[in-house]
Amino acid sequence: MQEPRVDRSLQPEELTQRDRGPKPFLKWAGGKNQMLKNLEHHFPRRFSKYYEPFLGGGAVFFSLVEKYPPFDAVLSDFNEELINSYQVVKTNVEELIGILKVHKANYSRRAEKYYYHVRKQRPFGSVEKAARLIFLNKTCYNGLYRVNQKGEFNVPFGTYGNPRILDEMNLRSVSEVLNYTRARLVTADYEDATKDASKAISSTLTHHINR
Ligand SMILES: C[S@@+](CC[C@H](N)C(=O)[O-])C[C@H]1O[C@@H](n2cnc3c(N)ncnc32)[C@H](O)[C@@H]1O
C-alpha cells in the first residue's frame, strides 16, 4: 500500500531543532559514540532509507540525522522495553515528560529508596514503562541494562550527585526526528528486521541510476 505523502521540506523552526542535534536519550553499553569518527568514512554519500538493526542508544542514527539530508528509518532491536521507549518518545513525548518530572522530584527527596521502589514496580502502560526505563537507566549503576531469568531489572543503585533524569529539550528533539524520519520501530532479531533491506537498497540504486 502506498504511504500518504508527507511534506518534509524544512520549516525554519524545524531547522533550529535539528541544528540543536538530538542525542541518545539512554546510556547504552557498547554505544558507538566514541567510534563515530572512525566509522563515518564508511558511510555512503547518499541514501534514502536507513536500517539500524542493533538500535541500543542510537548513536549512529542520531549522528546521521544531523549530517544527512532527510531519510526514512527502520529502527529495531530485540529488546522490547527499549523499542517501547523509542515508540513512546515518538508518539507521546509530553506525557512521558510529565511522568519523568514526578520521578525526578521523588528522587531528589530520597534517591536510593525511591530507586528501589521504582525498580520493583511493574507498570502496565507503555508510557509508564518507558518513563521507568529512562529513570532506571539514568540512576542505576553505570547505566547498565541487565535483567534476571524472570526478566526483572536487577542493576543496583548508582551513586550520582545529580543524574540527568529529564532532558526535556532533547526528548522533544528526538521525538521530532523519529517523526521526521517516519521511523518504523520494530522489536525483532536483526535477521528478521533486515529481510527487506537489500530489496530497499537495490530499488534505491535503480531509482538513482534511472534518473
Ligand atoms: C551496542 S548496542 C548498539 C549500539 C548502537 N548501534 C549505537 O549506534 O550506539 C547493541 C544492541 O544490539 C541489541 N542486540 C543484540 N543482539 C541482537 C540481535 N540478535 N538482534 C537484535 N538486536 C540485538 C542489544 O539489545 C543492544 O541494544
Side-chain angles (χ1 to χ4, degrees):
M1 195 172 65
Q2 194 78 28
E3 273 192 54
R5 287 189 77 78
V6 180
D7 177 7
R8 295 197 297 162
S9 49
L10 282 176
Q11 301 302 309
E13 65 275 15
E14 288 177 318
L15 260 179
T16 334
Q17 275 290 356
R18 268 163 60 88
D19 288 348
R20 240 177 252 150
K23 298 280 176 282
F25 62 94
L26 293 166
K27 292 187 249 174
W28 215 253
K32 299 286 172 288
N33 234 337
Q34 316 291 332
M35 295 171 66
L36 275 172
K37 283 264 164 302
N38 298 328
L39 293 174
E40 276 168 359
H41 61 272
H42 295 292
F43 297 162
R45 285 174 54 200
R46 52 187 294 192
F47 58 90
S48 56
K49 192 159 187 175
Y50 172 66
Y51 284 76
E52 170 56 86
F54 300 99
L55 181 60
V60 174
F61 168 69
F62 292 116
S63 153
L64 293 176
V65 163
E66 268 185 83
K67 294 180 183 140
Y68 279 82
F71 58 86
D72 286 354
V74 179
L75 307 176
S76 63
D77 198 290
F78 67 6
N79 185 328
E80 188 178 358
E81 223 185 334
L82 176 78
I83 292 298
N84 173 66
S85 72
Y86 279 85
Q87 187 62 48
V88 166
V89 171
K90 181 181 173 190
T91 57
N92 227 338
V93 71
E94 295 306 325
E95 201 183 325
L96 175 69
I97 287 171
I99 300 175
L100 283 170
K101 278 183 183 163
V102 175
H103 281 321
K104 187 177 165 186
N106 288 333
Y107 181 91
S108 72
R109 283 193 283 275
R110 45 192 183 119
E112 186 165 358
K113 207 166 164 211
Y114 187 66
Y115 172 82
Y116 285 108
H117 169 73
V118 174
R119 199 180 83 161
K120 247 194 298 171
Q121 288 177 337
R122 301 285 170 269
F124 188 69
S126 58
V127 188
E128 288 79 4
K129 279 185 192 164
R132 176 177 176 272
L133 178 69
I134 294 171
F135 170 77
L136 293 177
N137 178 260
K138 302 293 177 184
T139 56
C140 74
Y141 181 75
N142 260 350
L144 288 175
Y145 182 87
R146 191 184 64 203
V147 291
N148 63 19
Q149 285 188 330
K150 289 190 222 154
E152 296 161 342
F153 187 83
N154 66 0
V155 181
F157 177 69
T159 333
Y160 300 108
N162 189 16
R164 195 105 200 243
I165 293 167
L166 174 59
D167 181 345
E168 289 187 45
M169 189 186 281
N170 190 48
L171 283 174
R172 290 195 180 103
S173 189
V174 170
S175 183
E176 192 174 288
V177 301
L178 291 173
N179 283 290
Y180 185 83
T181 56
R182 297 187 281 212
R184 194 148 69 78
L185 293 154
V186 186
T187 303
D189 188 81
Y190 74 99
E191 285 188 292
D192 293 330
T194 51
K195 261 184 191 146
D196 59 338
S198 55
K199 229 170 26 191
I201 288 163
S202 63
S203 69
T204 310
L205 287 176
T206 316
H207 175 69
H208 288 311
I209 289 164
N210 290 338
R211 280 208 302 179

